[in-house]
Amino acid sequence: MQKKPNLLSGMRPTGRLHLGHLSVLEEWASLQDAYNCFHCVADWHALTTAYDDPKDIRENIRQIAIDWLSAGLDPQKSAIFVQSHVREHAELHLLLSMIINVSWLERVPTYKDQIKQLSGEGKDIATYGFLGYPLLQAADILIYRAAAVPVGEDQLPHLELCREIARRFNNLYQTDVLPEPQSLLAKIKLLPGTDNRKMSKSYQNFISLSARPEEVREKVSQMITDPARIRKTDLGHPEICTVYTYHTFYNQEEKDEVFAGCSGGTIGCVACKKRLAEKMNAFLAPILQKRAALEAAPAAIDDILAEGDARAAACASANMRLIRDAMKL
Ligand code: TRP
Ligand code: SF4
């Protein structure tokens, strides 16, 4: 049997995941059979901005692992591990720092924007570590000699930088030890936030993956609907209503009926929202169930992470030897 190519993906442990993340996790889960998957909880990356307040990072690592597992990552297939437990990431980051020109990092589109934005909020991230964020990310990927990285659009510049660094390394040391990873850009239909803006923690318009049924009902009931609809018989415009958009995600079977009922004035907003909330809760029930099982067995999560750390470390340390050789170390 041919060995499967390696795949690496990662997220920063910065809090509970929400429904907007679900399509990404489903995409990760769908790649588990074709690739040898490594899923990295990027706690050092979290530290680039949370260095002054790291108290939640440990708990967030556990929570993100639970989110991943309850959304369908299978620890038998995929290594779920913590970045800071595999020190080779740091060693490769250091070695790569020798060969990257600072201007490459300063040119990354998000860099100056984020410095500006966060310093406006009173936070100093003009640090060496934050400048090196994309370089650390490149090390995360290259240490596994990963063939593929599933990413969102926002991460493409980081992936491009990673590929440039791999090329430069191979060129300088006349080797092919660092393959250029391909980005797997998922065609994800983006779920908007409950206020129809982008779903985001900073807007407080998200529904978390761990939301209980009451919370889902509450958040759905607060969604703004078509202002033209005061009475049930008023003709509505479902295409401008977030509730309808959510029906297209979570209630495929009834979405046409909802559309017709809203535009024909035969379904009221309260009933429409109730139907949505019930469908969402039915959809989320198996995820909640898995979460409850995992939370009831905290030692099992430790085991899964320890196992993932070991699998990642085995791969990373073998590759690190090749990399040191290429650099004559
Ligand atoms: N920067 C990524 C994000 O914010 C997280 C991340 C860290 C990552 N290391 C990675 C993603 C390696 C892909 C590959 O989403
Ligand atoms: Fe929105 Fe449903 Fe009310 Fe139409 S009936 S405006 S889709 S909540």
Side-chain angles (χ1 to χ4, degrees):
M1 200 182 79
Q2 242 205 329
K3 211 172 150 283
K4 291 183 201 171
N6 286 351
L7 173 149
L8 181 116
S9 61
M11 284 186 196
R12 284 166 301 146
T14 51
R16 297 283 178 109
L17 297 186
H18 55 59
L19 293 183
H21 295 114
L22 201 55
S23 50
V24 178
L25 295 176
E26 284 165 353
E27 160 89 359
W28 288 10
S30 75
L31 295 163
Q32 289 182 116
D33 291 319
Y35 291 92
N36 182 30
C37 294
F38 295 92
H39 297 294
C40 170
V41 182
D43 56 344
W44 280 333
H45 277 114
L47 214 51
T48 60
T49 48
Y51 61 85
D52 53 349
D53 187 16
K55 67 177 184 314
D56 295 332
I57 291 185
R58 271 201 193 142
E59 179 55 22
N60 286 343
I61 290 171
R62 289 183 68 76
Q63 288 302 333
I64 206 169
I66 294 175
D67 279 331
W68 288 359
L69 292 162
S70 50
L73 286 197
D74 178 352
Q76 303 286 335
K77 295 179 181 166
S78 303
I80 295 172
F81 73 98
V82 180
Q83 183 185 38
S84 70
H85 297 178
V86 184
R87 307 284 202 272
E88 283 83 356
H89 290 236
E91 182 180 353
L92 183 56
H93 178 221
L94 176 85
L95 295 181
L96 295 177
S97 78
M98 307 298 168
I99 68 166
I100 189 169
N101 193 294
V102 175
S103 68
W104 288 19
L105 292 169
E106 288 170 338
R107 263 203 314 267
V108 173
T110 44
Y111 178 64
K112 291 218 163 79
D113 295 348
Q114 290 207 323
I115 292 227
K116 231 201 228 132
Q117 195 196 328
L118 287 167
S119 68
E121 293 165 21
K123 175 138 212 166
D124 173 18
I125 51 162
T127 57
Y128 185 49
F130 189 71
L131 176 66
Y133 184 113
L135 190 64
L136 179 58
Q137 184 167 345
D140 294 342
I141 298 165
L142 297 173
I143 191 74
Y144 298 100
R145 306 176 76 204
V149 185
V151 282
E153 197 127 18
D154 60 318
Q155 294 293 313
L156 282 178
H158 290 173
L159 237 289
E160 203 37 59
L161 185 80
C162 175
R163 293 160 56 84
E164 277 178 63
I165 293 170
R167 279 199 294 275
R168 175 156 170 78
F169 184 97
N170 292 338
N171 243 322
L172 272 174
Y173 305 114
Q174 289 301 302
T175 173
D176 54 8
V177 75
L178 297 183
E180 283 180 49
Q182 300 301 314
S183 48
L184 304 178
L185 196 59
K187 286 174 278 313
I188 283 168
K189 208 178 132 212
L190 217 57
L191 180 74
T194 52
D195 59 358
N196 216 19
R197 291 189 290 176
K198 180 177 184 259
M199 190 177 276
S200 153
K201 269 214 317 215
S202 38
Y203 294 152
Q204 289 295 318
N205 63 354
F206 61 90
I207 297 178
S208 73
L209 264 188
S210 47
R212 315 221 148 260
E214 316 78 82
E215 186 183 336
V216 172
R217 272 183 224 117
E218 166 92 9
K219 292 228 162 127
V220 169
S221 77
Q222 288 165 353
M223 284 181 179
I224 310 280
T225 61
D226 175 1
R229 301 206 76 210
I230 295 157
R231 272 177 297 261
K232 179 173 150 184
T233 48
D234 294 333
L235 307 186
H237 309 85
E239 65 282 0
I240 62 157
C241 178
T242 321
V243 179
Y244 174 70
T245 309
Y246 273 56
H247 274 288
T248 67
F249 274 82
Y250 296 104
N251 192 9
Q252 280 285 341
E253 352 35 292
E254 290 176 351
K255 73 174 183 350
D256 295 339
E257 196 187 319
V258 166
F259 192 98
C262 175
S263 36
T266 58
I267 171 178
C269 291
V270 174
C272 181
K273 287 174 162 178
K274 273 212 178 104
R275 268 158 93 161
L276 172 66
E278 289 329 302
K279 291 287 173 173
M280 289 180 73
N281 283 329
F283 175 86
L284 290 171
I287 300 178
L288 268 187
Q289 220 166 32
K290 271 196 218 157
R291 165 176 288 277
L294 289 161
E295 280 175 344
I301 299 164
D302 293 337
D303 288 348
I304 287 170
L305 287 175
E307 228 256 312
D309 289 347
R311 268 155 75 185
C315 180
S317 66
N319 289 339
M320 202 60 228
R321 241 171 273 139
L322 302 176
I323 294 165
R324 287 187 208 112
D325 271 352
M327 290 182 91
K328 311 293 176 222
L329 290 168

